[in-house]
Amino acid sequence: LRATLDTELEVFNQAFCQTQCFEDRVDFADQCILELKFNAGHFDIISPNIGSLVSRSVQCSKYVSGVNRLFYRSE
């Protein structure tokens, strides 16, 4: 089992930039992502315990979440 806790995430808009651009920034201050990775053979052991660790279990892509925040954010 490997667990990673991601906090203070932020993304930067790189659209139409020829070099790295750090001006258009969106943060994820309201999110904390706990990522669990384990061998599929251990699913029956680990799965019942996930509910006690988090408020809800969802699949999440930090990349997709970042794109959504950059291009579909409400102003």
Side-chain angles (χ1 to χ4, degrees):
L1 171 66
R2 185 177 85 192
T4 305
L5 182 63
D6 291 323
T7 61
E8 299 180 24
L9 297 169
E10 56 189 10
V11 293
F12 298 90
N13 188 352
Q14 301 299 307
F16 309 109
C17 296
Q18 301 212 357
T19 61
Q20 288 183 343
C21 178
F22 298 104
E23 294 173 16
D24 188 6
R25 174 174 104 34
V26 176
D27 65 24
F28 285 75
D30 61 334
Q31 286 191 8
C32 172
I33 298 173
L34 174 62
E35 180 180 21
L36 301 174
K37 292 187 177 182
F38 52 89
N39 185 303
H42 295 106
F43 182 81
D44 291 338
I45 298 167
I46 295 173
S47 181
N49 298 305
I50 291 174
S52 64
L53 295 174
V54 295
S55 59
R56 63 187 174 115
S57 176
V58 297
Q59 289 186 343
C60 174
S61 165
K62 289 178 272 190
Y63 175 80
V64 171
S65 296
V67 169
N68 283 333
R69 291 264 176 125
L70 284 171
F71 298 107
Y72 301 107
R73 58 185 162 192
S74 58
E75 299 291 332

